[in-house]
Amino acid sequence: MASLPGIYDGIAYIRDYAASVGKPCVINMSLGTHEGPHDGTSSLDRMMDGLHAQYPEGFLVVGSAGNEGSNKLHLYKSFTAEDTTACSFVNYNAGRVEATIDLWSTVNSAFAVSVGVIDTASGDTLGRTPWYNSSATGVYDDSIYLDKIYCEFACNGTNPFNTRQNITLTLTNRPIATDTYRVVL
């Protein structure tokens, strides 16, 4: 995705040109990201709100809903007092793959995450990272299962705009041995 200053400059250019020729403008943005809290408090969302407040007439920015509606890209889990974990089975056997998983808490709460590799045929855990807590801040690197799965945990603490905690997890792998092995959270 382009940088926020670059996006802002592009929008300002179009808005200023439309104003110079006495026309309204509508800008459609298809930025292609799935990261962020999806609650209107991201840096991009706040920038768009500021632009709309500054130019309420004759200027509209529209965010694309995307072309991936049938893909299973988002997961929501509401934990109860009895719940302790949730697993997400990801098949990483297709060769070198990198995936980013953006994890968010509910308001004013924390969570912890660990990544593991299991054999779905036997149920055996073949390796697992330590638990990383969302209230910590920092970037932590780890690898599991014979160093085939590399994990980067970016623990971002509490977001001041929505009081939700965030961990951005980047997974990089080399092919693993069998189709029954899965990466789990």
Side-chain angles (χ1 to χ4, degrees):
M1 184 168 91
S3 69
L4 283 180
I7 293 169
Y8 182 88
D9 290 345
I11 291 170
Y13 175 82
I14 294 168
R15 181 199 64 234
D16 292 347
Y17 175 77
S20 75
V21 295
K23 302 281 184 178
C25 71
V26 176
I27 301 169
N28 179 41
M29 296 193 318
S30 299
L31 298 175
T33 184
H34 302 286
E35 297 172 20
H38 300 284
D39 65 359
T41 62
S42 73
S43 297
L44 179 63
D45 293 335
R46 289 181 291 108
M47 182 181 80
M48 292 299 124
D49 289 344
L51 284 169
H52 177 66
Q54 187 177 0
Y55 303 98
E57 301 293 325
F59 170 66
L60 180 63
V61 178
V62 179
S64 170
N67 298 321
E68 300 170 318
S70 63
N71 295 347
K72 296 179 181 178
L73 298 171
H74 297 238
L75 172 70
Y76 176 85
K77 169 70 175 153
S78 181
F79 289 95
T80 67
E82 292 79 33
D83 288 330
T84 57
T85 61
C87 291
S88 173
F89 289 83
V90 181
N91 185 346
Y92 271 94
N93 296 323
R96 183 178 169 88
V97 175
E98 182 172 296
T100 300
I101 303 170
D102 204 23
L103 305 163
W104 288 86
S105 73
T106 55
V107 172
N108 297 318
S109 65
F111 65 94
V113 65
S114 173
V115 175
V117 174
I118 64 165
D119 182 344
T120 59
S122 68
D124 293 336
T125 299
L126 305 174
R128 194 183 91 184
T129 68
W131 288 92
Y132 292 93
N133 195 298
S134 63
S135 60
T137 56
V139 177
Y140 308 95
D141 297 326
D142 227 315
S143 64
I144 53 174
Y145 186 64
L146 307 173
D147 292 330
K148 289 187 178 280
I149 308 294
Y150 170 76
C151 309
E152 179 183 276
F153 297 82
C155 301
N156 302 309
T158 302
N159 180 306
F161 300 104
N162 63 14
T163 67
R164 295 168 61 193
Q165 294 190 6
N166 168 243
I167 295 177
T168 302
L169 171 61
T170 302
L171 300 172
T172 306
N173 84 293
R174 296 182 194 102
I176 51 182
T178 174
D179 192 41
T180 64
Y181 290 8
R182 295 292 185 271
V183 176
V184 295
L185 303 180

